[in-house]
């Protein structure tokens, strides 16, 4: 052992000697490279180059514009040639960018992923972050846009505000429970935040899970923000809060007669099935059922039960029952939403065709309204209109 030099000993152990690397890139060059790496990560994730179009995600449109800028500027093509393992700079015809010639360097750099040296999100402030950073700077704060279907969510925000004031919901500091799932409510920067949709999870380079969310804000805007970006925003906001699920108390009766049916629970489930129709309308398709036992026990075998579409399910809402016939109550729900029941046929695990029942194309806030109307008796005066996704008076 003593005959080995330090270098030979390290080689024998398989430990290479690392020489200190200095960053020779200027801040401007770093921003160009970082902007290109964001486009590359998009291609890795979706298997194609970003495209233009009003029907595209705001980030995809931004990346498409950025790629056009890179392709049109010879300086950028030369700089990035060695990094272009996907052929992005030469695989497609260079797209014309009308405003390219009128852009100065700072304006161009803004399109490439930076906003000048003074920007709080300047790449120079991230020089110690790994090049393949899992949370992209441009996605830290997703651009908010007008929510075109906000009328569907307005009653839900009004209801949540009422439940918070009445004590049915509690606002708790974010952090004790950092989970974010579809149907969750938060308070961020003084606004209610509703998570409408959660995309498929993926793993970032440090192994942590992430997902794209569709988030609606109570001011009528929405954004497609990353789950971890929303978590960070809630952590940083001293007033950031999670709203607990509403405690509706016993339904119909809190006292018991000798002939009363035992207590139970109304549960609302959302399927995690990959069936194309379910995946497309996931945030609107719900299963409504009633059980006398624990909901968790009822759904424990969901992946092997055609009733649950042979997939995992998520409990979106539940309501306690007391002194009510569960079977009759379940029938009332199914009759109310009969017009919205989905007609879906799947193969069970034995290959037999089955048609699951109790799945309805109904927004969650409408189900909650149905519970309240059954409770106060006003359900007899209304009917559910699938086209309007709301209850209408029987005289309308």
């Amino acid at each position: 052992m003593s005959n080995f030099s330090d270098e030979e000993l390290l080689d024998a152990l398989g430990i290479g000697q690392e020489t200190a690397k200095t960053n020779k890139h200027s801040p401007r060059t770093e921003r160009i490279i970082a902007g290109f790496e964001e486009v590359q990560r998009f291609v890795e994730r979706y298997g194609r180059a970003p495209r233009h179009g009003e029907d595209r995600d705001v980030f995809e449109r931004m990346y498409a514009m950025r790629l056009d800028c890179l392709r049109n500027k010879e300086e950028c093509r030369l700089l990035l040639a060695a990094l272009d393992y996907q052929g992005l700079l030469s695989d497609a015809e260079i797209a014309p960018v009308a405003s390219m010639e009128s852009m100065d360097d700072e304006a161009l750099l803004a399109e490439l992923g930076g906003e000048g040296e003074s920007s709080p999100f300047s790449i120079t402030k991230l020089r110690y972050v790994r090049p393949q950073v899992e949370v992209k700077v441009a996605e830290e704060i997703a651009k908010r846009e007008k929510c075109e279907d906000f009328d569907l969510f307005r009653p839900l925000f009004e209801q949540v505000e009422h439940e918070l004031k009445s004590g049915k919901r509690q606002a708790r500091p974010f952090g004790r429970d950092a989970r974010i799932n579809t149907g969750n409510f938060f308070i961020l920067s003084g606004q209610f935040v509703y998570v409408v949709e959660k995309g498929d999870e993926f793993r970032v380079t440090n192994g942590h899970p992430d997902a794209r969310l569709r988030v609606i804000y109570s001011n009528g805007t929405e954004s497609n923000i990353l789950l971890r970006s929303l978590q960070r925003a809630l952590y940083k906001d001293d007033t950031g809060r999670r709203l607990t699920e509403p405690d509706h108390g016993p339904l119909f009766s809190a006292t018991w007669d000798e002939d009363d049916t035992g207590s139970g629970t109304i549960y609302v489930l959302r399927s995690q099935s990959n069936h194309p129709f379910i995946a497309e309308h996931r945030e609107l398709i719900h299963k409504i059922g009633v059980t006398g036992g624990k909901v968790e026990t009822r759904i424990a075998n969901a992946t092997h039960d055609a009733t649950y579409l042979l997939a995992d399910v998520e409990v979106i809402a539940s309501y306690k029952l007391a002194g009510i016939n569960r079977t009759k109550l379940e029938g009332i729900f199914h009759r109310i939403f009969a017009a919205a029941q989905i007609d879906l046929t799947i193969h069970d695990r034995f290959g037999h065709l089955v048609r699951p029942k109790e799945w309805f194309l109904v927004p969650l806030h409408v189900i909650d309204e149905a519970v309240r109307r059954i409770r106060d008796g006003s359900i007899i005066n209304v009917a559910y209109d699938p086209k309007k996704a709301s209850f209408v008076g029987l005289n309308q």
Side-chain angles (χ1 to χ4, degrees):
M1 180 73 69
S2 60
N3 294 327
F4 284 95
S5 67
D6 289 343
E7 292 80 1
E8 290 172 331
L9 181 58
L10 288 174
D11 288 338
L13 294 174
I15 302 175
Q17 291 178 279
E18 295 185 1
T19 58
K21 297 180 181 179
T22 57
N23 190 350
K24 297 181 180 180
H25 293 310
S26 67
R28 180 176 186 276
T29 299
E30 287 182 340
R31 292 199 296 273
I32 293 175
I33 293 174
F36 185 56
E37 287 178 339
E38 289 180 349
V39 177
Q40 289 180 308
R41 284 193 289 275
F42 176 93
V43 176
E44 289 175 354
R45 184 179 302 172
Y46 297 103
R48 60 174 175 80
R51 301 167 184 166
H52 297 283
E54 292 298 324
D55 59 331
R56 302 291 175 182
D57 179 89
V58 61
F59 294 105
E60 180 173 357
R61 299 200 302 269
M62 181 183 72
Y63 294 148
M65 175 63 179
R66 182 179 300 171
L67 185 57
D68 288 348
C69 293
L70 293 170
R71 288 171 173 171
N72 275 276
K73 200 167 182 67
E74 183 178 4
E75 172 195 2
C76 296
R77 296 200 304 274
L78 293 174
L79 172 65
L80 300 171
L83 304 175
D84 187 21
Y85 63 92
Q86 296 160 314
L88 294 175
L89 300 177
S90 58
D91 190 41
E93 181 180 353
I94 295 177
V97 181
S99 59
M100 183 69 67
E101 297 302 324
S102 62
M103 290 184 181
D104 58 21
D105 285 346
E106 289 302 312
L108 179 59
L109 285 172
E111 290 297 337
L112 298 180
E115 298 184 10
E117 298 296 331
S118 62
S119 169
F121 304 107
S122 170
I123 194 64
T124 61
K125 296 185 182 298
L126 297 175
R127 59 184 178 274
Y128 300 114
V129 180
R130 295 190 303 272
Q132 296 297 325
V133 61
E134 64 271 14
V135 180
K136 298 181 284 294
V137 177
E139 294 181 340
E140 282 295 324
I141 298 180
K143 181 180 178 182
R144 296 188 187 184
E145 297 180 329
K146 179 181 178 182
C147 179
E148 299 297 340
D149 56 350
F150 186 68
D151 285 344
L152 291 176
F153 302 101
R154 190 191 308 276
L156 192 55
F157 284 113
E158 293 173 351
Q159 175 189 331
V160 166
E161 184 175 9
H162 172 73
E163 290 173 344
L164 188 60
K165 291 179 178 178
S166 66
K168 289 183 178 179
R169 289 182 185 262
Q170 303 294 322
R172 297 176 179 172
F174 186 81
R176 297 177 182 176
D177 180 1
R179 292 175 301 170
I180 295 179
N181 291 304
T182 305
N184 287 168
F185 279 94
F186 304 94
I187 297 177
L188 177 62
S189 300
Q191 293 183 32
F192 288 118
V193 178
Y194 178 48
V195 181
V196 178
E197 185 176 353
K198 180 179 178 181
D200 294 335
E201 284 192 351
F202 55 89
R203 295 280 174 176
V204 293
T205 54
N206 63 3
H208 291 159
D210 207 345
R212 178 70 64 185
L213 307 175
R214 183 192 178 196
V215 172
I216 309 296
Y217 302 87
S218 56
N219 66 351
T221 61
E222 68 172 278
S223 69
N224 292 321
I225 192 172
L226 288 174
L227 182 150
R228 292 181 65 78
S229 295
L230 179 57
Q231 284 178 330
R232 278 189 288 273
L234 287 163
Y235 274 124
K236 292 177 181 178
D237 183 1
D238 291 337
T239 61
R241 295 290 185 270
R242 168 190 295 279
L243 299 189
T244 62
E245 293 301 313
D247 181 6
H248 293 270
L251 185 63
F252 299 111
S253 175
T255 59
W256 296 90
D257 292 330
E258 185 177 350
D259 296 330
D260 277 340
T261 306
S263 62
T265 304
I266 302 171
Y267 58 87
V268 182
L269 307 179
R270 187 170 291 166
S271 175
Q272 302 302 307
S273 169
N274 292 323
H275 187 283
F277 181 79
I278 300 296
E280 181 181 358
H281 304 284
R282 195 181 308 280
E283 73 275 12
L284 295 177
I285 295 178
H286 298 102
K287 174 180 171 63
I288 307 171
V290 180
T291 180
K294 291 184 177 181
V295 178
E296 292 78 7
T297 302
R298 186 72 174 264
I299 65 176
N301 200 40
T303 55
H304 301 290
D305 191 337
T307 302
Y308 300 99
L309 307 180
L310 300 175
D312 287 330
V313 292
E314 181 182 1
V315 181
I316 299 299
S318 60
Y319 312 87
K320 296 178 182 178
L321 296 174
I324 189 69
N325 186 301
R326 294 189 299 272
T327 302
K328 290 183 178 179
L329 179 61
E330 191 170 42
I332 292 174
F333 274 107
H334 297 170
R335 186 165 62 251
I336 292 170
F337 295 121
Q341 185 172 3
I342 63 173
D343 185 10
L344 185 67
T345 301
I346 64 172
H347 288 90
D348 65 14
R349 57 196 179 110
F350 301 106
H352 303 140
L353 284 175
V354 295
R355 181 171 295 173
K357 299 180 180 180
E358 301 179 2
W359 290 94
F360 304 89
L361 195 66
V362 181
L364 179 60
H365 68 87
V366 174
I367 298 174
D368 194 74
E369 181 182 352
V371 171
R372 289 187 284 109
R373 286 186 175 277
I374 292 175
R375 189 175 187 177
D376 63 22
S378 64
I379 194 69
I380 64 174
N381 301 318
V382 296
Y384 180 67
D385 186 341
K387 294 182 179 179
K388 296 182 178 179
S390 63
F391 286 106
V392 298
L394 291 178
N395 57 349
Q396 296 185 20

